[in-house]
Amino acid sequence: MASTASFIAQFNHRNIKILQHLGYEVHVAANFTHFGTSSSKSNQQFMQWLRVQHVVIHNVPIERRLGKFRQNISTLIILNHLMMKENYCFLHVHTPIASVLGRIVALKNHVPVIYTAHGFHFSKNSSKVNWFIFPIEWLLSFITDKLVLINQEDFLLARHYFHAKQIDYVPGVGVNFKLLSERQVDEHLLAKRELLKTLKLPKNSYLIIAVGELSKRKNHQVVVKALSILAMSNYHLVIAGRGKQRQSLLRLATQLGVANQIHFLDYRRDIRHFHLAADLAVLPSLREGLSRAGLEAVRDGVYLLGADIRGIRDYILNDEVGQVFNPRNANELAILIKKNIQRQKKGLSYSTESRLMKFDRTSVDKQMKEIYQSMGE
């Protein structure tokens, strides 16, 4: 039986099932000790799921960010030992640091590699500093068998500049877009009534949902500033996520006089319920690969105001779905919030729904199965 390893952070459970159905023994190598912004409970549940699925787990201290030189060397040694011992058929890497270390070790051990880039750090909207990473990705593309891009901007850039043996576009990890046609207006009213009661807010309140970790990259502060500009005390921002920026967001909200309009939900798994309750969704990120949070908002029927960046533009197809704004311009966002917060809930046209179905997990899984099959061949 063949085997494959995946060095992960943003991981798709369904990829494991696809590989197993193709006859592979699957190994997962990841940092299960320091697991980022997910909760400890979610991390434990994921590890338990892997054990139930008979996946071999390797706890490897891979850093999410650049990390220390000595730590990365130590990780390289661990990965090299692992690859020599297990005789892998191919390797699938995901996160930036894991992709660098994994490809280096795979080259040494003559193991083919798939790299799914969940959004390059460099893009049309990123700072010049981020483009210092470009030469590293360019160089490593020569030792990449399959490069998978999840948004159109990265895909076009990779096709023009990079040298992987094959370059594919797969629109993210996929979401269940079949739920798109299952929502009803009365679901929104019921969910909103429940959330208003939970938050102890008056019935005339309007709810804006923002999903994402509390970090500078997710840029929640621009929504706080927009609320301050609007000066509408019955507009409330509900943020689902955890991270280091919580206290600074609270300080900013207090300074701007809108602290009682900001509500933190921490990390949540029942996001659909909050989308159904929301009058509007905002995705103000400064950088994204292909934001699943935005796709799920669209799927759940909430109108989306998204940053005008790659990975969000891909699915805000028209005014039926939402509108884009400059993520550094709070005034522009404030205008869009006021214009759309009372928008009537209604379904999307058939043509728009059809175009969104490429993000459905069934379509994505079919593409990934073909990629894995070609690696086996």
Side-chain angles (χ1 to χ4, degrees):
M1 183 176 286
S3 61
T4 179
S6 183
F7 303 90
I8 63 171
Q10 301 147 322
F11 192 76
N12 184 350
H13 293 64
R14 300 191 314 277
N15 283 356
I16 288 177
K17 301 303 293 182
I18 293 169
L19 287 164
Q20 289 178 330
H21 287 155
L22 290 173
Y24 287 96
E25 175 185 297
V26 181
H27 292 216
V28 169
N31 193 333
F32 291 103
T33 304
H34 302 288
F35 39 83
T37 56
S38 296
S39 66
S40 177
K41 182 179 179 181
S42 294
N43 184 59
Q44 290 301 317
Q45 287 175 340
F46 176 52
M47 292 182 71
Q48 180 59 29
W49 183 87
L50 291 173
R51 294 187 186 101
V52 170
Q53 300 301 322
H54 305 292
V55 174
V56 181
I57 298 173
H58 304 280
N59 189 3
V60 180
I62 303 171
E63 297 286 339
R64 289 188 72 196
R65 292 178 169 78
L66 188 59
K68 297 179 180 179
F69 178 77
R70 186 175 295 178
Q71 175 65 53
N72 288 330
I73 294 297
S74 175
T75 302
L76 273 173
I77 294 170
I78 294 170
L79 293 178
N80 184 58
H81 176 74
L82 185 61
M83 213 164 291
M84 290 173 65
K85 175 185 175 184
E86 298 294 346
N87 190 30
Y88 292 121
C89 178
F90 66 88
L91 178 73
H92 190 174
V93 293
H94 291 260
T95 57
I97 299 302
S99 78
V100 173
L101 302 180
R103 282 182 285 182
I104 290 171
V105 176
L107 176 66
K108 179 181 180 297
N109 290 276
H110 308 288
V111 177
V113 180
I114 305 172
Y115 171 34
T116 297
H118 292 268
F120 291 130
H121 277 63
F122 44 87
S123 66
K124 293 177 181 177
N125 299 93
S126 65
S127 65
K128 292 180 179 179
V129 174
N130 286 24
W131 281 89
F132 282 107
I133 301 170
F134 177 85
I136 299 173
E137 290 286 4
W138 175 83
L139 186 63
L140 289 171
S141 72
F142 286 94
I143 59 172
T144 305
D145 293 86
K146 291 187 185 293
L147 176 59
V148 178
L149 293 315
I150 65 172
N151 62 67
Q152 283 292 324
E153 184 178 318
D154 284 352
F155 176 61
L156 294 174
L157 182 145
R159 284 185 60 182
H160 188 76
Y161 292 106
F162 291 169
H163 300 274
K165 293 178 182 177
Q166 184 174 333
I167 298 175
D168 293 306
Y169 166 63
V170 177
V173 298
V175 298
N176 185 6
F177 258 99
K178 291 181 180 178
L179 293 172
L180 190 66
S181 58
E182 295 181 9
R183 59 196 181 348
Q184 303 292 334
V185 173
D186 56 350
E187 280 188 287
H188 162 64
L189 297 175
L190 178 61
K192 182 176 179 180
R193 195 180 306 128
E194 290 176 355
L195 186 54
L196 290 177
K197 184 177 179 180
T198 300
L199 298 175
K200 299 179 180 179
L201 297 176
K203 293 181 180 179
N204 68 335
S205 300
Y206 290 95
L207 299 176
I208 304 166
I209 182 77
V211 178
E213 66 178 341
L214 307 181
S215 65
K216 290 182 179 179
R217 179 173 69 88
K218 293 296 184 179
N219 194 34
H220 294 296
Q221 61 266 25
V222 75
V223 193
V224 176
K225 292 175 183 177
L227 284 181
S228 173
I229 293 167
L230 287 165
M232 299 291 289
S233 60
N234 62 332
Y235 288 10
H236 292 265
L237 172 63
V238 180
I239 305 176
R242 58 170 54 183
K244 297 178 180 179
Q245 291 291 308
R246 178 166 179 159
Q247 290 305 315
S248 63
L249 285 169
L250 276 173
R251 284 195 298 270
L252 176 63
T254 302
Q255 291 168 7
L256 297 176
V258 293
N260 62 339
Q261 294 172 248
I262 312 298
H263 310 274
F264 295 97
L265 296 178
D266 210 341
Y267 178 82
R268 303 300 293 249
R269 298 179 67 87
D270 53 342
I271 290 300
R272 179 171 169 80
H273 176 75
F274 295 101
H275 282 156
L276 291 173
D279 297 289
L280 205 60
V282 179
L283 186 58
S285 305
L286 298 174
R287 190 183 77 251
E288 288 288 353
L290 186 81
S291 173
R292 181 169 179 166
L295 278 169
E296 289 178 339
V298 173
R299 178 202 65 189
D300 295 336
V302 57
Y303 198 74
L304 178 63
L305 303 181
D308 189 11
I309 61 171
R310 61 104 201 260
I312 297 178
R313 283 192 299 258
D314 289 48
Y315 51 81
I316 299 185
L317 306 175
N318 51 41
D319 286 348
E320 289 182 56
V321 176
Q323 297 177 53
V324 294
F325 64 94
N326 181 345
R328 301 184 187 277
N329 191 330
N331 286 295
E332 183 182 348
L333 176 57
I335 292 169
L336 288 178
I337 290 174
K338 187 173 183 179
K339 177 183 174 183
N340 293 289
I341 201 164
Q342 296 185 51
R343 176 181 282 266
Q344 183 180 357
K345 293 269 182 176
K346 57 182 181 180
L348 302 176
S349 66
Y350 176 77
S351 61
T352 298
E353 280 197 23
S354 298
R355 292 172 64 192
L356 287 169
M357 287 308 292
K358 74 176 183 180
F359 301 104
D360 183 72
R361 62 189 184 188
T362 302
S363 174
V364 169
D365 288 353
K366 181 181 178 182
Q367 289 178 267
M368 285 309 306
K369 182 179 178 181
E370 291 171 354
I371 288 171
Y372 287 144
Q373 283 177 322
S374 66
M375 290 297 286
E377 292 166 0

